[in-house]
């Protein structure tokens, strides 16, 4: 993933494309945010879902404090998660 920033357009677009918006179990909207970091002289990127720009920043700060690796991923299975137990 390459992150391309357009500072003059920031916060001027209220309706991201459909692929960049989702809803949580309570039907609150989530938005896709790009994250970029540097390692071994190269730039790398990943993404997160967050409720707002502020929420995305809070999530990044939480990652700085507590991020750990869980292991390598081998597959992904689509499933409906229960909203209440």
């Amino acid at each position: 993933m390459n992150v391309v920033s357009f500072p003059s357009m920031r916060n001027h677009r209220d309706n991201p494309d459909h692929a960049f918006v989702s809803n949580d179990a309570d039907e609150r909207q989530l938005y896709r945010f790009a994250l970029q970091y540097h390692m071994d002289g190269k730039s790398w990127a990943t993404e997160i879902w967050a409720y707002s720009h502020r929420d995305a920043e809070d999530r990044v700060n939480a990652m700085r404090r507590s991020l750990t690796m869980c292991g390598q991923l081998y597959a992904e299975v689509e499933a409906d998660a229960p909203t209440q137990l």
Side-chain angles (χ1 to χ4, degrees):
M1 172 191 322
N2 291 322
V3 177
V4 179
S5 179
F6 299 101
S8 63
M9 295 179 68
R10 189 178 213 185
N11 299 327
H12 292 284
R13 188 169 176 209
D14 293 331
N15 298 313
D17 290 342
H18 180 70
F20 301 93
V21 180
S22 185
N23 291 319
D24 70 6
D26 295 322
E27 293 302 316
R28 294 187 308 166
Q29 283 194 323
L30 287 158
Y31 304 96
R32 237 161 105 185
F33 289 84
L35 307 179
Q36 185 173 350
Y37 62 97
H38 302 280
M39 187 174 121
D40 297 332
K42 296 180 182 177
S43 291
W44 300 85
T46 190
E47 60 189 48
I48 62 168
W49 290 90
Y51 295 108
S52 65
H53 190 270
R54 179 73 219 159
D55 182 44
E57 289 177 348
D58 290 345
R59 290 171 188 269
V60 168
N61 288 330
M63 286 181 221
R64 285 186 180 117
R65 291 188 307 270
S66 64
L67 186 67
T68 60
M69 186 183 71
C70 297
Q72 182 178 348
L73 299 175
Y74 289 88
E76 185 173 71
V77 178
E78 293 287 330
D80 291 329
T83 57
Q84 294 181 359
L85 298 176

